[in-house]
Amino acid sequence: MLIRRCAVLFLEPREDLDIDWTSLFAGEGALGATMRWVALAPHLGEEVEVTLPEMAALGGIGFTLWQDRAGCEERHGADNVARLLQAGLLIGDDADDATGAAFRERDETLRSQHWRPLSAAAHMFSRWGDMRVDKGMQFPSFEELVVSYGTPPGPAIERCADGQAIMLPPPERARLDDTLFQRYTGRNFDGAAVLPMATASRLLQRAFGSQGEREMAPDAFVLKKLSPSAGGLHPTEVYVMAQRVEGVAPGLYHYHPVRHALEPLTAMDTAQTAELAMRMVADQDWFVDAPMMIVLAARVERNFWKYRNHAKAYRALLLDAGHLSQTFYLLATEAGMPAFVTAAVNEVDIERAFGLDPLKDMVVAVCGCGMASGAQDTVEMRYEP
């Protein structure tokens, strides 16, 4: 059997503090510290505690070339090698071992996406699953924060001496101002309002749809959209959860940006969409009544095809979602509705619901829109296509 180390691996020292009762009663220091090491391997997506001998084995077995297992066992110990294979930190080529084959498939998936190692670890180990507001997301009020932490850093900083700044003239009023000044984040949506089909269509097409297609090389196409994207690649895919959209059955969809179409994924009833909405946004119940929610998920192989193992590629994906969400905000404002975007989402729950692979489909944020509570039930859109 041949083995090698997994493609991406980080080892993090953890220090656990506890009361050392023996030292305390002896009149010495009361706190004791225990050091342990945790392996962070993105293809696993979960932490694995390792011993010092196992760390030595991981450091002595490369991740590129396959090595004979017997030789590795002779150098690093059979028990250590077996344990690391069982944990998925070492990868074997034994096709008859179902567990090992699953680890190898995930490792090869990670290798094929051309992730920057630090970015892969940051992404995989910052994802949430089953996080709720009352389980760690609850923040104190601003007043309580000031009492606990003191006055926050000021909202603006000055980088030159008094009198050196060049004062600019007031901006002139322009057409976009009417939309910009009405834009706000909605936190109280009308749970009965229905989003008209015409409004949903414009929101999706103008915010996320293709406005043109260009062949840059044989069989290599890029799309023109109304938001910028690194390299013109537009890797962000849009997944829709329809709760109350005119003419669209409740459920999960993929938005096709070229055909301007919703591709059905999973049919649901309104109770199921409401429950999933709550899980998607980690129990931020002020968002869940939005009639349409949008999941922004980067298809990393599209971006990393050009920016392979690139230090800035991950940032470009985050910027991409930021551009798209602001365009979505402005279109919702134009339609007379508030919108929202949040990164405080349960990526694991979203991945399961939409059938996404976190090594390939990087869930970044969820956005949505709808009529504010107390406003009219629907909004009409009039525009020139």
Side-chain angles (χ1 to χ4, degrees), residues 11 36 74 95 97 108 147 178 204 238 243 262:
L11 294 168
R36 59 192 178 95
E74 184 177 346
D97 178 6
E108 290 178 347
V147 171
D178 292 337
L204 291 170
V238 168
Q243 297 202 89
L262 289 175

Side-chain angles (χ1 to χ4, degrees), residues 264-278:
L265 299 177
T266 304
M268 293 181 164
D269 59 34
T270 52
Q272 291 173 316
T273 59
E275 190 274 334
L276 179 58
M278 188 72 83

